[in-house]
């Protein structure tokens, strides 16, 4: 059984394929259970469920929420950017829909602020400033939630950088603006009140928003989760495309010790297409099905 519970799309956020193309690819790859977990986006979930049914794929509603997580004490206090996955929620829950919409609006405001910072950098380098017309062209490339990858792609198209890595290394890390300050407590309340479960996404991802920005030590990572997050989460993403065997094993042991749901997914943005490439055991599906709500 092939399982993938972490997939993004162009329709909902920053994937490279539309939801129709994603499900055709999932069908071709024999995926039996999947979830579309676009960033701050749930409006396509009804279409997604219909597509899943058409292709004979079992489906769990999904979303990826970015959380601002305070960590540390006194002068060492810092705000961590962490990702959490919501599964099995009611797609018609009004409070969740309203908060998702507010978060998406903030993404557009944030994008404008990032462009202002970019222009300050361009001034130093003698590069022509981005104009309102440039912003409109970037927005036109966005099918789902506006994010830094859309600006990065425009920088490449304009010939200012050669690739995504250079875009982030040279400009987008330096010119970043904080995301919507959603707390873990609020994310948990929203998803649970909508009948779903909240899962800590890729907690040790070396390339993404994760506890690896605090420590590479797996024991120290799970200590942070045990001390600060257990009250608010229902599960942990144990299988991820950038996990090694030791990381997956550590998080499986941790989840079992604390009675947490164990999930896994490729985090595929179709750059390249990674859907269904992880070896996630069948019992994950059975365990997950017993937790999810039928809507």
């Amino acid at each position: 059984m092939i399982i993938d519970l972490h997939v993004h799309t162009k329709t909902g956020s920053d994937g490279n394929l539309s939801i129709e193309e994603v499900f055709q690819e999932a069908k071709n790859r024999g995926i039996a259970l999947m979830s579309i977990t676009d960033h701050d986006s749930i409006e396509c979930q009804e279409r997604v469920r219909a597509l899943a049914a058409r292709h004979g794929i079992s489906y769990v509603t999904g979303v990826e929420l970015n959380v601002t997580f305070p960590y540390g004490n006194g002068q060492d206090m810092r705000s961590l950017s962490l990702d959490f996955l919501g599964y099995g929620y009611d797609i018609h829950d009004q409070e969740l829909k309203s908060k998702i919409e507010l978060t998406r609006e903030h993404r557009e405001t944030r994008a404008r602020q990032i462009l202002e910072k970019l222009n300050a950098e361009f001034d130093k380098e003698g590069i022509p400033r981005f104009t309102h017309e440039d912003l409109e062209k970037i927005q036109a490339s966005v099918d789902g939630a506006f994010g830094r990858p859309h600006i990065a792609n425009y920088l490449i198209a304009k010939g200012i950088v050669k690739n995504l890595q250079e875009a982030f290394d040279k400009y987008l890390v330096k010119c970043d603006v904080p995301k919507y300050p959603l707390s873990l407590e609020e994310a948990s309340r929203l998803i649970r009140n909508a009948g779903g479960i909240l899962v800590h996404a890729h907690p040790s991802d070396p390339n993404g928003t994760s506890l690896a920005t605090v420590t590479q030590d797996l024991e120290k990572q799970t200590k942070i989760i045990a001390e600060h997050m257990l009250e608010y989460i229902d599960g942990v993403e144990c299988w991820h495309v950038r996990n090694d065997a030791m990381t997956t094993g550590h998080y499986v042991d941790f989840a079992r010790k604390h009675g947490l749901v164990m999930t896994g997914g490729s985090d595929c943005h179709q750059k390249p297409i990674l859907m269904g490439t992880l070896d996630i055991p069948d019992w994950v599906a059975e365990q997950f099905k017993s937790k999810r709500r039928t809507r």
Side-chain angles (χ1 to χ4, degrees):
M1 180 180 192
I2 301 176
I3 301 167
D4 199 326
L5 295 169
H6 192 161
V7 177
H8 297 274
T9 73
K10 183 179 180 181
T11 308
S13 61
D14 54 350
N16 207 36
L17 298 179
S18 68
I19 56 173
E20 289 81 7
E21 293 169 323
V22 163
F23 271 91
Q24 185 58 58
E25 186 66 29
K27 178 69 174 178
N28 294 343
R29 290 171 177 242
I31 295 175
L33 173 66
M34 70 182 294
S35 181
I36 298 298
T37 53
D38 280 316
H39 301 281
D40 305 325
S41 174
I42 65 173
E43 66 266 27
C44 68
Q45 290 291 322
E46 195 146 16
R47 288 169 58 198
V48 166
R49 291 198 303 195
L51 280 167
R54 187 186 309 166
H55 289 289
I57 297 172
S58 296
Y59 186 74
V60 181
T61 54
V63 66
E64 186 164 21
L65 300 174
N66 184 260
V67 158
T68 299
F69 181 74
Y71 177 72
N73 295 296
Q75 293 184 335
D76 295 329
M77 177 68 75
R78 54 191 285 203
S79 292
L80 305 179
S81 178
L82 301 177
D83 287 336
F84 291 81
L85 297 158
Y87 289 119
Y89 56 84
D90 178 3
I91 62 174
H92 301 296
D93 184 85
Q94 194 54 53
E95 186 182 17
L96 179 60
K97 290 171 67 176
S98 297
K99 181 60 70 173
I100 292 285
E101 182 60 31
L102 185 63
T103 305
R104 286 168 62 86
E105 289 173 2
H106 180 80
R107 279 179 172 270
E108 296 189 4
T109 301
R110 176 178 175 241
R112 286 193 291 274
Q113 293 171 339
I114 290 173
L115 290 195
E116 289 172 6
K117 287 191 171 187
L118 273 176
N119 278 337
E121 294 300 315
F122 292 167
D123 289 345
K124 297 175 189 173
E125 301 176 29
I127 297 173
R129 296 170 67 90
F130 278 172
T131 64
H132 182 69
E133 184 180 347
D134 291 302
L135 176 59
E136 288 183 338
K137 288 180 180 177
I138 298 171
Q139 287 176 319
S141 71
V142 180
D143 285 342
F146 203 152
R148 288 188 296 170
H150 299 106
I151 300 174
N153 288 332
Y154 193 70
L155 288 169
I156 297 170
K158 295 284 285 186
I160 297 172
V161 296
K162 294 177 181 176
N163 51 49
L164 285 173
Q165 191 65 51
E166 185 181 354
F168 276 86
D169 290 346
K170 191 171 182 181
Y171 294 111
L172 294 175
V173 172
K174 182 192 303 181
C175 299
D176 197 15
V177 171
K179 298 175 182 175
Y180 182 85
L182 182 69
S183 69
L184 177 57
E185 293 89 339
E186 186 172 19
S188 177
R189 182 181 57 77
L190 285 166
I191 295 296
R192 286 175 172 174
N193 283 354
I197 61 173
L198 192 72
V199 172
H200 190 1
H202 44 68
S204 190
D205 182 3
N207 293 346
T209 50
S210 79
L211 293 172
T213 60
V214 177
T215 175
Q216 302 286 326
D217 187 305
L218 295 173
E219 290 289 347
K220 291 180 179 177
Q221 289 174 11
T222 44
K223 186 169 184 256
I224 293 171
I225 298 173
E227 291 180 350
H228 302 286
M229 299 184 191
L230 283 182
E231 179 180 355
Y232 304 108
I233 63 174
D234 305 288
V236 175
E237 188 178 47
C238 297
W239 290 266
H240 185 265
V241 70
R242 286 184 288 277
N243 276 10
D244 57 21
M246 180 182 295
T247 301
T248 293
H250 182 82
Y251 275 97
V252 166
D253 290 343
F254 175 77
R256 283 178 171 151
K257 178 181 177 181
H258 293 281
L260 295 170
V261 173
M262 290 167 266
T263 72
S266 64
D267 203 353
C268 179
H269 291 70
Q270 302 92 49
K271 308 166 187 174
I273 298 176
L274 301 171
M275 285 186 295
T277 56
L278 293 181
D279 185 15
I280 300 170
D282 290 2
W283 58 260
V284 167
E286 296 306 316
Q287 163 227 235
F288 198 85
K289 287 176 182 175
S290 69
K291 293 282 184 182
R292 67 177 175 168
R293 313 294 199 271
T294 301
R295 298 282 177 185

